[in-house]
Amino acid sequence: MLSEHLLAEMGRLAAQGDLPLHRQLYEALRRAVLDGKLGAGDRLPSSRDLAHDLDLSRNTVVAALGQLTVEGYLVSHVGSGTYVHEHVPQPGVRPRAGQAAPDARLSRRGEALAHQHRARDLEIQPFTPGVADFSAFPIALWQRLQNKHWRSAQPEMLDYNDSGGHGPLRRAVADYLRVFRSVRLDADQVLITSGTQQSLELCAHLLADNGDTVWLEDPAYWGAVKAFTATGLAIHPVPVDDEGMAPSAADEAHPPRLIYVTPSHQYPTGAVMSLARRQQLLACAARCQAWVLEDDYDSEFRFSGPPISSLEGLDTEGRVLYMGTFSKMLYPGLKLGYLVVPKALVAAFKGAHYDLNRPGQMPLQAALAEFIEMGHFASALRRARQTYAERRQKLVDALAPVLHSGQGRIHGAAQGLHLCLRLPACADDRALAQQAAQRGLTVRPLSAYCLQRQDLRGLAIGYGYAAPALIDRYGRQLAELVAQGLGRG
Amino acid sequence: MLSEHLLAEMGRLAAQGDLPLHRQLYEALRRAVLDGKLGAGDRLPSSRDLAHDLDLSRNTVVAALGQLTVEGYLVSHVGSGTYVHEHVPQPGVRPRAGQAAPDARLSRRGEALAHQHRARDLEIQPFTPGVADFSAFPIALWQRLQNKHWRSAQPEMLDYNDSGGHGPLRRAVADYLRVFRSVRLDADQVLITSGTQQSLELCAHLLADNGDTVWLEDPAYWGAVKAFTATGLAIHPVPVDDEGMAPSAADEAHPPRLIYVTPSHQYPTGAVMSLARRQQLLACAARCQAWVLEDDYDSEFRFSGPPISSLEGLDTEGRVLYMGTFSKMLYPGLKLGYLVVPKALVAAFKGAHYDLNRPGQMPLQAALAEFIEMGHFASALRRARQTYAERRQKLVDALAPVLHSGQGRIHGAAQGLHLCLRLPACADDRALAQQAAQRGLTVRPLSAYCLQRQDLRGLAIGYGYAAPALIDRYGRQLAELVAQGLGRG
């Protein structure tokens, strides 16, 4: 009996949530049609009869039938009644919810993105490279600043932002970069983005076409590989040595449209690009008419001496786009970073940033601006440098057996959140990383960052997250494991 | 005299900010080199002499010289002194900061993105289509919920999220969609994104390759045009009629990899896709082995009867990816939306979403989950429907002269935040929009949304943002302007 079926279904729906009666009836009837309880062409009882059988007001029934008629499930013939429409789907061909199409497949770039997908072992445990310790982030202060800006929020603070970011934040970033990073800029050149991935995609979309070549450091930062894969660029790997990216004449046979570099602290090797190399790279970019994307990765966390000046600050032709993030300094989920573009590109970048990304989170941007202006950023930076310098030293001490044996050496500058332990070319660094993983330690094999070259072996070991005592204990375990692994090799 | 120059420069730097002395000297020396005050190969005074001349401690001088040596500006020869390195850049070839490279140009897709760039007249004034009124958003409640989740924030709440979003929010979205939108899904199929743009880019990256065809409604939503342009897809326009997207056999000669539709309330025409057309579209997608991207735009704001069920709910083959946003219901800058993917695609989408976007903002996601669970979302929805229904009616009343003259008619369903006033084919809708702009009214010409077709004239008029009294007053002005414009035509 239809009415019994409908009543049962309505009862089930009522138990699920706060649906009005007419909506319950609508859903029950709709499902009856889709499940084949009511077939194409079937005549429905009159609204009067349905109201009586279901103990509903006639208005309720009329509302439900009306909606189903509007949607095309039912058709009403004046004087003759209401029928199930002949176009309703045939029952029996409906597979279970969420089942994938038989030909479910990703696109080629989708497969590449899924296949390259290597950065997700995010379970935080000792030595995951690139992870900062945000346990000391001053949450109470942060809440206070956020609340202040929420309380006084004008409507535009809740809207999208089309001016490249919150004005005071752009000015605060410009002041910081001018003084501490020797970047030459006006606040107008600063775009607030959701971080380095968004900055890279924006550059790739606006400055390169599908199939254009981008030079990447080899070994490379995975996030950049992903961003350039997604945006359709052809990746040409250029080897990194102790002075950073080292392009040869052979590389110039693959002229780049973009050159992506991490000159302050190359990820993952830790190399700092020398002044001579910086000048060579800029000259090479000029010859190739390429844009240089400077990811000033980890520059904040230099432990000895002031941070090394930016590539942008040396640029004589305005070819450098400079980017950084607040994720490492404050907390990753903040999702705020910055991109500095040459003046001639500001309008195009602002417009595309708005159109592609619809930036928002203005109360958060306002809180961050004030956090910087009040000096909290600078003092967090000082504390963080000290914290990470100590942790790095703890790790170096724990790794002493490997270092003293002459089998491993620490590569790159004393900077950042990780160090690169270089191992002999015969070492199986992937096997070592797997063995470490079995003991609950996340280290990354240097060979896994290599795009083309086969000569590098080592481990990227993060010291950012774990407390010193843990670094000491687990660092010794790691050293033992490496020594054993090399002994076997 | 070098020391006088350095003292002056250091004084200037000191006035700018809180730099330590060794950093002031470092900067002053560095600039002297870069500006040519110190040339390649020049010998510097000894650190003792510099310390004396500048009245600094010798440690300060040694720190600054050491840093410049590390960076390659200076070179130190034991027993002979410190010299400016021969590789330093030549002065005189340094243009002003931020000046663009002579060959500054955007890529072809960059030009396309900049050229199509039409959505930024965001100055909020009466009748901008698609803008909601978020002045009634309960900020105090929102702050309270945010504070609660910040206070109890575990470290993982400050980190990136690699599981597709905050669990309780994904469940709350699934419950909402299941009951109110007849979407069939498990919470595991829900990805929390930063909104529709990010959802679209993710679909385009994972499911289509560069050059693949995407069908778009003609006229079309600009945001989708941008997203597909950026991701390199070939846009094939399919005309929209009163029942939504109407593909013909000729269209199937351009078989799509993706079909993007706004079936609940086509943007901008307001057409609601009929049930028959929905089934045709799904059958067509099956023939072409295409994915359907259902942007359930404006479905929440249906004023008569319940919202029309989703296309996803009719899908018999799991070809539909369903997306929506919280921007219109809460506030745009929130930047939280959702994408529902078939089960077979969940792992690939979660992975790529993490790798490409590094999602964060977990305290905000937690606050939103609770906002929904506590019923605030449902009641905001009820209030908003009533508000917008009234405003729509006010606008319709104000436009009465145009409607009664038979020259204009309102097209599409009584739903959403805007209406589409269709005008005769001879009308110059761009001129009308310009005239309105001169009076401080933002309306958008229907022809500006058309990708290929030439036959549509009309105005998209938003009633979401302005208060009823303003809608009344400015609506009459608009009606007068349209009537005059048509009279002249």
Side-chain angles (χ1 to χ4, degrees):
Chain A
M1 226 347 247
L2 178 65
S3 55
E4 274 170 36
H5 172 78
L6 292 175
L7 278 171
E9 190 72 14
M10 287 173 69
R12 217 175 52 73
L13 289 165
Q16 275 181 21
D18 189 25
L19 279 182
L21 282 170
H22 68 89
R23 184 75 184 158
Q24 289 175 23
L25 177 58
Y26 159 86
E27 270 297 333
L29 274 167
R30 184 175 163 279
R31 291 184 188 189
V33 170
L34 291 173
D35 295 345
K37 299 265 187 307
L38 282 168
D42 281 0
R43 187 176 193 278
L44 259 68
S46 71
S47 56
R48 186 187 310 262
D49 287 351
L50 269 177
H52 177 266
D53 291 352
L54 302 174
D55 195 21
L56 295 171
S57 85
R58 190 147 166 229
N59 280 343
T60 301
V61 175
V62 168
L65 296 181
Q67 177 67 20
L68 288 162
T69 306
V70 167
E71 292 192 18
Y73 288 91
L74 304 180
V75 59
S76 172
H77 299 302
V78 179
S80 140
T82 301
Y83 298 81
V84 176
H85 201 292
E86 295 189 355
H87 286 297
V88 297
Q90 294 304 305
V93 295
R94 297 175 56 79
R96 279 195 18 255
Q99 193 173 334
D103 59 334
R105 62 189 163 92
L106 303 179
S107 60
R108 288 188 302 279
R109 66 181 171 196
E111 287 289 352
L113 288 167
H115 179 71
Q116 292 165 353
H117 166 235
R118 299 170 293 192
R120 266 183 80 222
D121 47 351
L122 241 214
E123 193 189 349
I124 296 171
Q125 51 190 21
F127 306 139
T128 307
V131 179
D133 185 355
F134 38 88
S135 65
F137 181 69
I139 288 189
L141 166 68
W142 190 240
Q143 259 187 287
R144 193 151 51 75
L145 291 175
Q146 285 199 76
N147 279 327
K148 176 178 159 186
H149 289 283
W150 270 105
R151 263 196 307 277
S152 61
Q154 299 298 306
E156 66 266 24
M157 292 297 281
L158 300 190
D159 205 353
Y160 299 129
N161 171 275
D162 68 346
S163 58
H166 186 54
L169 180 58
R170 297 168 80 207
R171 284 192 290 278
V173 168
D175 288 343
Y176 167 70
L177 294 178
R178 206 179 289 120
V179 174
F180 286 91
R181 306 293 303 122
S182 304
V183 176
R184 297 160 303 160
L185 80 168
D186 293 339
D188 190 50
Q189 293 171 254
V190 177
L191 258 68
I192 303 301
T193 69
S194 73
T196 299
Q197 293 301 107
Q198 193 172 73
S199 298
L200 288 175
E201 288 197 14
L202 207 50
C203 292
H205 279 143
L206 284 172
L207 302 176
D209 281 308
N210 189 73
D212 280 355
T213 296
V214 57
W215 281 4
L216 248 68
E217 297 158 325
D218 189 4
Y221 167 55
W222 290 340
V225 175
K226 291 276 174 186
F228 294 123
T229 301
T231 50
L233 302 199
I235 292 174
H236 175 78
V238 178
V240 167
D241 64 17
D242 285 355
E243 293 185 66
M245 181 187 264
S248 65
D251 292 311
E252 287 196 39
H254 305 268
R257 185 90 174 109
L258 304 178
I259 301 174
Y260 170 79
V261 280
T262 52
S264 295
H265 191 227
Q266 202 274 331
Y267 192 84
T269 67
V272 177
M273 192 178 279
S274 66
L275 181 63
R277 190 64 64 73
R278 283 169 197 241
Q279 291 175 294
Q280 283 167 23
L281 190 73
L282 289 169
C284 170
R287 281 195 300 278
C288 301
Q289 305 211 331
W291 297 101
V292 177
L293 310 184
E294 176 177 23
D295 183 353
D296 204 10
Y297 177 79
D298 264 3
S299 63
E300 303 89 344
F301 302 125
R302 188 166 160 77
F303 308 136
S304 55
I308 287 184
S309 309
S310 70
L311 193 54
E312 198 284 336
L314 289 174
D315 177 23
T316 58
E317 298 199 343
R319 299 197 169 277
V320 177
L321 291 90
Y322 175 96
M323 63 193 73
T325 176
F326 290 104
S327 295
K328 305 266 177 212
M329 257 320 296
L330 303 180
Y331 62 97
L334 173 64
K335 299 297 298 168
L336 290 175
Y338 43 88
L339 172 65
V340 181
V341 303
K343 280 192 205 300
L345 297 179
V346 167
F349 269 74
K350 261 195 204 174
H353 186 37
Y354 178 77
D355 284 339
L356 292 175
N357 303 319
R358 297 274 195 282
Q361 309 291 15
M362 301 307 283
L364 211 56
Q365 292 195 25
L368 177 56
E370 195 165 349
F371 189 84
I372 299 173
E373 284 159 11
M374 289 168 73
H376 298 300
F377 185 70
S379 50
L381 209 56
R382 273 195 300 275
R383 277 196 310 273
R385 272 196 206 116
Q386 195 179 340
T387 302
Y388 296 133
E390 284 165 14
R391 292 183 182 186
R392 183 187 171 92
Q393 192 54 52
K394 273 275 181 228
L395 179 58
V396 171
D397 292 347
L399 294 175
V402 176
L403 301 173
H404 292 163
S405 74
Q407 291 186 296
R409 69 185 176 88
I410 291 173
H411 192 82
Q415 182 169 341
L417 302 170
H418 81 283
L419 57 76
C420 185
L421 178 68
R422 289 284 283 274
L423 298 172
C426 60
D428 185 347
D429 55 1
R430 288 174 195 259
L432 288 172
Q434 273 175 8
Q435 288 158 24
Q438 283 159 12
R439 301 204 195 175
L441 305 177
T442 301
V443 296
R444 296 238 175 84
L446 191 52
S447 56
Y449 292 97
C450 291
L451 301 176
Q452 193 171 60
R453 63 198 289 185
Q454 307 286 339
D455 59 327
L456 288 186
R457 295 293 180 275
L459 297 173
I461 312 173
Y463 47 76
Y465 187 73
L470 293 180
I471 291 179
D472 185 50
R473 178 170 7 136
Y474 292 120
R476 286 166 200 273
Q477 289 184 17
L478 185 65
E480 199 178 306
L481 184 151
V482 170
Q484 281 175 5
L486 292 178
R488 271 201 302 275
Chain B
M1 226 347 249
L2 178 65
S3 54
E4 274 170 36
H5 172 78
L6 292 174
L7 279 172
E9 189 72 13
M10 288 173 69
R12 217 175 51 74
L13 288 164
Q16 274 180 22
D18 190 24
L19 278 183
L21 281 172
H22 68 91
R23 184 76 185 157
Q24 288 176 25
L25 177 58
Y26 159 86
E27 269 298 333
L29 275 166
R30 183 175 165 278
R31 290 184 189 189
V33 170
L34 290 173
D35 295 345
K37 299 265 188 310
L38 282 167
D42 280 2
R43 188 177 193 278
L44 259 68
S46 72
S47 55
R48 187 185 310 259
D49 288 350
L50 269 177
H52 178 267
D53 291 353
L54 303 173
D55 195 20
L56 294 171
S57 85
R58 187 144 169 232
N59 279 343
T60 301
V61 175
V62 167
L65 296 182
Q67 178 66 20
L68 288 162
T69 307
V70 168
E71 291 192 19
Y73 287 90
L74 303 180
V75 59
S76 173
H77 300 301
V78 179
S80 141
T82 300
Y83 298 82
V84 176
H85 201 290
E86 295 189 355
H87 286 298
V88 298
Q90 294 305 305
V93 294
R94 298 177 52 80
R96 278 198 14 257
Q99 193 173 330
D103 58 334
R105 59 187 164 92
L106 302 179
S107 59
R108 288 187 303 279
R109 66 182 174 195
E111 288 289 353
L113 288 167
H115 180 71
Q116 291 165 354
H117 166 235
R118 300 170 293 191
R120 268 185 76 223
D121 48 349
L122 241 214
E123 191 187 353
I124 295 173
Q125 50 189 21
F127 306 140
T128 308
V131 180
D133 184 356
F134 38 89
S135 65
F137 181 69
I139 287 187
L141 165 68
W142 189 241
Q143 261 188 283
R144 193 152 50 74
L145 291 176
Q146 285 198 79
N147 280 329
K148 177 179 158 185
H149 289 283
W150 270 105
R151 264 196 307 276
S152 62
Q154 299 297 309
E156 67 265 24
M157 293 296 282
L158 300 190
D159 204 352
Y160 299 129
N161 172 276
D162 68 346
S163 58
H166 186 54
L169 180 57
R170 297 168 79 207
R171 284 192 288 279
V173 168
D175 289 343
Y176 167 70
L177 294 179
R178 207 180 288 121
V179 174
F180 287 91
R181 305 294 304 124
S182 305
V183 176
R184 297 161 303 161
L185 79 167
D186 294 338
D188 190 50
Q189 293 171 254
V190 177
L191 258 70
I192 303 301
T193 68
S194 74
T196 299
Q197 293 302 107
Q198 193 172 72
S199 299
L200 288 176
E201 288 196 14
L202 207 50
C203 292
H205 280 143
L206 283 174
L207 301 176
D209 281 308
N210 190 71
D212 280 355
T213 297
V214 57
W215 282 5
L216 248 68
E217 297 158 324
D218 188 6
Y221 166 56
W222 290 339
V225 175
K226 290 278 174 185
F228 294 123
T229 302
T231 51
L233 302 199
I235 292 174
H236 175 78
V238 178
V240 167
D241 65 16
D242 285 355
E243 295 183 65
M245 180 186 266
S248 65
D251 291 311
E252 287 195 38
H254 306 269
R257 184 93 173 109
L258 304 178
I259 302 175
Y260 170 79
V261 281
T262 52
S264 296
H265 191 226
Q266 203 274 331
Y267 193 85
T269 68
V272 177
M273 192 178 280
S274 66
L275 181 63
R277 191 62 66 71
R278 283 170 198 240
Q279 292 175 293
Q280 284 168 23
L281 190 73
L282 289 170
C284 170
R287 280 195 301 278
C288 301
Q289 306 210 330
W291 297 100
V292 177
L293 310 184
E294 176 177 22
D295 183 352
D296 205 11
Y297 176 77
D298 263 3
S299 63
E300 302 89 346
F301 303 124
R302 188 165 160 78
F303 308 137
S304 54
I308 288 184
S309 309
S310 71
L311 192 55
E312 198 283 338
L314 288 175
D315 177 21
T316 59
E317 299 199 343
R319 298 195 169 280
V320 177
L321 290 91
Y322 175 96
M323 63 193 74
T325 175
F326 290 104
S327 294
K328 305 268 178 208
M329 257 319 296
L330 303 181
Y331 61 98
L334 173 63
K335 298 298 296 169
L336 289 175
Y338 43 88
L339 172 65
V340 180
V341 303
K343 279 192 204 298
L345 297 179
V346 168
F349 269 74
K350 259 195 204 174
H353 185 36
Y354 178 76
D355 284 338
L356 292 174
N357 303 318
R358 297 274 194 280
Q361 308 292 13
M362 300 307 284
L364 212 55
Q365 293 195 24
L368 178 55
E370 194 165 352
F371 189 83
I372 299 173
E373 284 159 11
M374 290 169 72
H376 298 301
F377 185 70
S379 52
L381 209 56
R382 273 196 299 276
R383 277 197 310 275
R385 272 197 206 116
Q386 196 178 344
T387 301
Y388 296 133
E390 284 166 13
R391 291 181 182 186
R392 183 187 170 91
Q393 193 52 50
K394 273 277 181 227
L395 179 58
V396 172
D397 291 347
L399 294 174
V402 176
L403 301 172
H404 291 162
S405 73
Q407 291 185 295
R409 69 185 175 88
I410 291 173
H411 192 84
Q415 182 170 340
L417 302 170
H418 81 284
L419 58 76
C420 185
L421 178 68
R422 289 283 282 272
L423 297 172
C426 60
D428 184 347
D429 55 1
R430 288 173 194 261
L432 288 172
Q434 274 176 6
Q435 287 158 25
Q438 284 159 11
R439 300 204 195 173
L441 305 177
T442 302
V443 296
R444 297 236 176 85
L446 192 51
S447 55
Y449 292 97
C450 291
L451 301 175
Q452 192 171 59
R453 64 198 292 185
Q454 307 284 338
D455 59 325
L456 289 185
R457 295 293 181 277
L459 297 174
I461 311 173
Y463 47 76
Y465 186 74
L470 293 180
I471 291 179
D472 185 51
R473 179 171 6 137
Y474 292 119
R476 285 166 200 275
Q477 288 185 16
L478 185 65
E480 199 177 305
L481 183 152
V482 171
Q484 282 176 4
L486 292 177
R488 271 202 303 275

